[in-house]
Amino acid sequence: MIFSVPFFPGAPNEALEAASSGLVGESDLLIVGPGVLGRLVAEKWREEHPGCQVFGQTVTTDHHDELIKMGINPSLKGTLSHRFPYVIFCAPPSRTSDYPGDVRLAALNWNGEGSFLFTSSSAPFDCNDNGPCDEDTPVVPIGRSPRTDVLLKAEKVVLEFGVMVVIKLNYVHKADRGAHAYWLEKGTVEVRPDHILNLIHYEDAASLSVAILKKKFRGRIFLGCDNHPLSRQEVMDLVTKSGKFSKKFEGFTGTGDALGKRLNNSKSREEIGWEPKYPSFSHFLGVSE
């Protein structure tokens, strides 16, 4: 299959001028939304590209000092005049009223040479009965829910450019972040316990993102998960079993919400040549399931 490279007016000259002036190099990376995942991507990208520059685009200046200390060059949305060979968009839809528009704006900061990667969610896959789901599972139609509409419209923007890549993540976690941490804080949660989750550690989501960026894929959708789906109850049983958390989870009390899906990203792994550092949530916690 052949994918055409989109034409950005003025992009080649501007990118060449920026590169020749030392502003943008051939391995430089722009991170739109440099939060937990974006900062890990920056760290891993630098390990593989010593001497490169990493730029971070945000909607406020609140964390610019932190980014500077990490060696990330911060800027506000809409202020960048240069284009970059590598761009990853990992900003959440909750911080904006026009998520697809933000994705389009970010796309205009890509020069078309390396990779553009958009981090999405597995939510739009049309499966809510705890059944199997992979890269080829159909997505829900536009109009079914505002949440999936926002993601689908953003993905459509990405794929309209013809050469960009979407990675779908579900429940990203580390010790103090993720669904388990939220539920521990709440103590009791009114959702059903048998809903299936698909997990991936933040470090693994970052290493997968870097692996995809390096491959320079075009017009693709990949899945990011550890291939060990668990129910909500199983997640919290492992948390309790680990003995690593001071708070106690009381339980799930819901019965009427939807079930989940069992993601399998074996195709993505084989094509990308990637395996996770943490092959399961129980492995991450150091306990057996």
Side-chain angles (χ1 to χ4, degrees):
M1 184 176 289
I2 298 173
F3 296 93
S4 61
V5 177
F7 173 67
F8 301 125
N13 288 339
E14 184 173 344
L16 285 172
E17 288 169 8
S20 64
S21 65
L23 292 175
V24 177
E26 61 181 13
S27 296
D28 287 355
L29 173 68
L30 170 63
I31 302 169
V32 181
V36 177
L37 176 59
R39 295 177 190 194
L40 283 169
V41 168
E43 182 183 318
K44 293 181 183 299
W45 187 258
R46 270 204 211 89
E47 288 173 3
E48 305 212 15
H49 301 86
C52 75
Q53 298 181 94
V54 177
F55 299 78
Q57 184 174 290
T58 62
V59 293
T60 73
T61 60
D62 293 353
H63 299 286
H64 280 195
D65 287 345
E66 295 172 27
L67 296 174
I68 291 169
K69 288 176 183 175
M70 298 179 68
I72 299 174
N73 303 304
S75 65
L76 285 171
K77 181 176 76 172
T79 63
L80 285 170
S81 59
H82 298 303
R83 289 169 170 81
F84 302 84
Y86 295 93
V87 178
I88 178 170
F89 187 103
C90 44
S94 58
R95 298 291 301 274
T96 177
S97 60
D98 184 11
Y99 197 54
D102 286 356
V103 174
R104 188 176 295 278
L105 184 65
L108 296 174
N109 283 126
W110 180 50
N111 67 15
E113 293 174 3
S115 297
F116 182 108
L117 178 60
F118 172 63
T119 61
S120 186
S121 164
S122 62
F125 284 124
D126 196 4
C127 177
N128 59 0
D129 60 358
N130 281 355
C133 178
D134 63 16
E135 296 86 348
D136 300 319
T137 299
V139 297
V140 301
I142 291 284
R144 181 176 293 182
S145 85
R147 181 190 175 207
T148 54
D149 281 0
V150 166
L151 292 168
L152 287 169
K153 288 174 182 177
E155 289 178 15
K156 186 172 184 286
V157 169
V158 174
L159 297 173
E160 272 177 0
F161 276 90
V163 297
M164 301 178 187
V165 180
V166 175
I167 177 176
K168 289 177 173 285
L169 305 172
N170 201 201
Y171 286 89
V172 191
H173 67 86
K174 63 189 189 82
D176 60 346
R177 289 182 72 96
H180 70 286
Y182 173 76
W183 294 331
L184 271 179
E185 193 65 34
K186 297 285 285 184
T188 302
V189 188
E190 195 176 350
V191 293
R192 61 190 302 163
D194 54 342
H195 175 108
I196 292 294
L197 308 179
N198 301 276
L199 301 107
I200 185 170
H201 193 277
Y202 269 103
E203 287 185 39
D204 289 327
S207 70
L208 177 57
S209 298
V210 168
I212 293 172
L213 284 166
K214 286 171 58 183
K215 290 279 189 176
K216 301 182 181 180
F217 289 109
R218 298 297 188 248
R220 302 296 308 280
I221 290 180
F222 295 112
L223 292 184
C225 60
D226 63 16
N227 270 0
H228 281 81
L230 297 170
S231 70
R232 288 170 176 149
Q233 188 63 57
E234 287 171 330
V235 166
M236 298 315 289
D237 287 347
L238 288 170
V239 165
T240 300
K241 187 176 180 181
S242 74
K244 295 182 177 180
F245 301 87
S246 58
K247 294 190 176 180
K248 182 182 178 184
F249 181 67
E250 298 298 333
F252 298 104
T253 60
T255 57
D257 52 306
L259 293 171
K261 60 202 72 168
R262 296 177 183 272
L263 295 183
N264 184 308
N265 69 343
S266 296
K267 293 177 187 175
S268 293
R269 291 187 188 203
E270 184 177 354
E271 187 165 357
I272 298 163
W274 172 87
E275 291 292 332
K277 175 182 176 181
Y278 300 103
S280 68
F281 187 65
S282 60
H283 183 275
F284 160 66
L285 291 175
V287 297
S288 58
E289 288 186 37

